[in-house]
Amino acid sequence: MVTGIEAAGGGQGNGIRKRSCFCSKEDFLPEESFKSWGNYVHALANTKTRLTDRILARSMDHQELEQMRARSDNQMKKTLNWWDLIWFGIGAVMGAGIFVLTGQAARNDAGPAVVISYFISGVSALLSVLCYTEFSVELPVAGGSFSYLRVELGDFVAYIAAGNILFEYVVAGASVARSWTSYFATLCNHNPNDFRINVPALADNFNHLDPIAVVISILVCIGAALSMKASSRFNSVTTIVHLVVLVFIFITGMTKANPANFTTNFLPFGFRGVLKASAVLFFAYVGFDGVATLGEEIKNPGRDIPIGLIGSMLVTITTYCLLSATLCLMQPYSQIDADASFTMAFQAAGMNWAKYIVALGAIKGMTTVLLANLIAQARYFTHIGRTHMAPPILASIHPKTGTPVNATVIMTVANSLVALFTSLDVLANLLSISTLFIFSLVSLALIVRRYYVTGETSTSDRNKLIGFLTLIVGSSIATAVYWVLSQGWIGYIVTGVIWFAATLGLQLTLKQAKKPKLWGVPLVPWLPSASIAFNVFILGSIDVPSFIRFAIWTLALLVYYIFVALHASYDAARETDRVEAQASQASQATSMEAGTS
């Protein structure tokens, strides 16, 4: 790992250079507030002042694109194009979810109408993709959603999102790694726990150690750290093979199709069941946000990112709808196995050998998801490290590979520890809350970006914007709550009218303060407003204990922020201000000299 973070200009650790092969305190806390206990006590005594300064402080586009990237000293290599991004997007999203979630949704919630559920959840995911696309074209940096929120909603909101991004990616990576073991066991005709080490002394859900999950995580880490272009080629080839397997499953399954299974009792659970299933199936589309973290490595962001992000999502939606229709054509929905739907459907059709094809497809899909997860994870935390909200050792870019080796290795260690011990049953829904929370914030930030510019937007227009956004978010929350508590429909009319009126009011009474330069979301504010409504609605399907755990995790993030991240980022921001002031003075001096001449 490249270690040894030295202060660049005022000792704030804004520059990174190789010093030794050992880590020291300076690698993690190089800021002035942590130079001594006296400094730290002084920083704590000024917590209120610093909190007031940072809680709503917004970054600027040029700071994210130039100054933050400069803190890594070395640059990531621009090696990716739209072709790489399409396969990266598909590989990041299309894992084992189609094999696991489809059977559960069809059997328990939607019946054959699970096809409609996949389409609805796909459209919901596509709305978030559109919001991410505009931001990633305008701000092609490794920070992804963290950078977007820092620019539009401020440091504090971005920090809370960063903590949830950390949790989302660690749990997702660990979950996929353990699932890899499960499907590998299926290929070998074994129970998954046969390949795990049982330790009775440990608590339930933590007592089946999974060394295979750790090994596959380490192998993926090595590839991701050595070369982004090689990783992209591996991902492209593996994802293409995965799609070929899915096409084979589709064609083979259609040879056993019975139209009566699909048309008889198409909506056995009503439209409410379709919506309930769509909330569950939304998570088969999660992972696309990782593409946004590749901004610094893309040759032509204005062209490549929209094609890559939107193209990969359209392929995924189409594939999911076709495969779910195939499953429901092969078997009556009441006979579909909720746990191993495709495997049991082929077995019932007399093709027991097909379960190996399904397992092979799942393993290939999970390998690309694991790779995409780690690549995105490392790049997120490279940029978060640049802001000093996370240890700045994460910000280092290796001079030879052009990849964030430190962040890749450190995040692999975190993933492996969780994957080794944890069954992840308890954490699954908490992961869902974190993901939807971030998607909602990005959609909200896009509306803010279009309608509010500091120093240009008037106070009255700002207050109108806040009011309309409050109504949009409030009506979305009310819709989700009504969904949970009531079987009626009157409430949806009320909340729907409020949402519609607030969005229409936003469009009619406020002029957009900023237009996208290269690519923009169409139908603003309607599409980002709809994205907020969809994401919040899906949040309503998650159980209460998961929200309690989410609150506990957020409280832990707040404690770390008050005692560490606030002071580290405050010092780093002051250093940025000093550098900008010096650059401004130098520019003015140069202009004066030129004028005199």
Side-chain angles (χ1 to χ4, degrees), residues 99-105 107-108 335-341 344:
F99 301 115
V100 177
L101 297 176
T102 307
Q104 296 174 1
R107 175 70 179 265
N108 302 325
Q335 297 178 19
I336 292 175
D337 187 277
D339 298 318
S341 54
M344 299 308 294

Side-chain angles (χ1 to χ4, degrees), residues 343-354:
T343 299
M344 299 308 294
F346 279 111
Q347 186 172 313
M351 294 185 290
N352 193 45
W353 52 268

Side-chain angles (χ1 to χ4, degrees), residues 84-412:
D84 298 306
L85 295 188
I86 284 180
W87 295 113
F88 189 90
I90 295 173
V93 173
M94 203 178 295
I98 180 66
F99 301 115
V100 177
L101 297 176
T102 307
Q104 296 174 1
R107 175 70 179 265
N108 302 325
D109 298 317
V114 68
V115 178
I116 299 177
S117 300
Y118 261 120
F119 181 76
I120 292 174
S121 57
V123 170
S124 176
L126 184 60
L127 292 176
S128 293
V129 166
L130 292 173
C131 296
Y132 268 85
T133 301
E134 178 171 329
F135 268 120
S136 55
V137 168
E138 296 284 302
L139 290 170
V141 293
S145 55
F146 169 75
S147 298
Y148 314 153
L149 297 178
R150 220 169 88 86
V151 167
E152 300 304 334
L153 300 184
D155 259 23
F156 180 73
V157 173
Y159 167 78
I160 295 299
N164 282 283
I165 291 168
L166 167 65
F167 189 86
E168 172 191 346
Y169 274 90
V170 169
V171 173
S175 177
V176 172
R178 286 185 73 94
S179 297
W180 200 99
T181 302
S182 298
Y183 277 93
F184 180 72
T186 300
L187 273 178
C188 301
N189 287 317
H190 276 270
N191 183 287
N193 285 336
D194 292 345
F195 289 168
R196 295 179 178 129
I197 302 171
N198 185 23
V199 183
L202 296 177
D204 289 342
N205 295 325
F206 298 90
N207 56 356
H208 284 94
L209 307 188
D210 196 332
I212 293 179
V214 175
V215 171
I216 190 65
S217 297
I218 292 174
L219 291 176
V220 168
C221 170
I222 293 172
L226 289 178
S227 170
M228 182 59 212
K229 188 60 180 178
S231 297
S232 176
R233 287 172 179 166
F234 172 80
N235 173 78
S236 298
V237 172
T238 308
T239 302
I240 290 172
V241 172
H242 181 51
L243 275 182
V244 170
V245 170
L246 295 181
V247 170
F248 172 81
I249 291 173
F250 168 69
I251 295 174
T252 308
M254 291 300 286
T255 64
K256 302 295 181 179
N258 180 1
N261 293 335
F262 198 77
T263 56
T264 303
N265 203 9
F266 182 73
L267 280 166
F269 302 96
F271 195 67
R272 186 179 181 88
V274 172
L275 292 178
K276 184 178 179 181
S278 68
V280 174
L281 295 175
F282 179 85
F283 303 106
Y285 293 99
V286 170
F288 65 81
D289 50 319
V291 178
T293 67
L294 303 177
E296 294 181 27
E297 296 156 278
I298 298 170
K299 296 177 181 178
N300 186 348
R303 180 199 65 185
D304 296 338
I305 291 176
I307 295 175
L309 262 172
I310 299 172
S312 61
M313 184 54 64
L314 292 176
V315 170
T316 302
I317 293 172
T318 303
T319 304
Y320 282 174
C321 289
L322 289 175
L323 286 178
S324 60
T326 302
L327 177 65
C328 293
L329 283 165
M330 291 180 68
Q331 278 188 303
Y333 80 90
S334 58
Q335 297 178 19
I336 292 175
D337 187 277
D339 298 318
S341 54
F342 283 90
T343 299
M344 299 308 294
F346 279 111
Q347 186 172 313
M351 294 185 290
N352 193 45
W353 52 268
K355 75 176 184 181
Y356 299 106
I357 304 296
V358 173
L360 181 63
I363 284 179
K364 287 185 176 296
M366 285 184 292
T367 302
T368 58
V369 169
L370 199 60
L371 176 63
N373 179 285
L374 181 59
I375 287 173
Q377 194 176 6
R379 280 144 185 81
Y380 262 125
F381 280 89
T382 295
H383 202 76
I384 295 170
R386 290 167 176 169
T387 68
H388 291 234
M389 289 189 192
I393 190 174
L394 293 168
S396 175
I397 304 297
H398 197 280
K400 292 183 179 179
T401 65
T403 59
V405 174
N406 285 1
T408 303
V409 171
I410 291 172
M411 300 321 299
T412 298

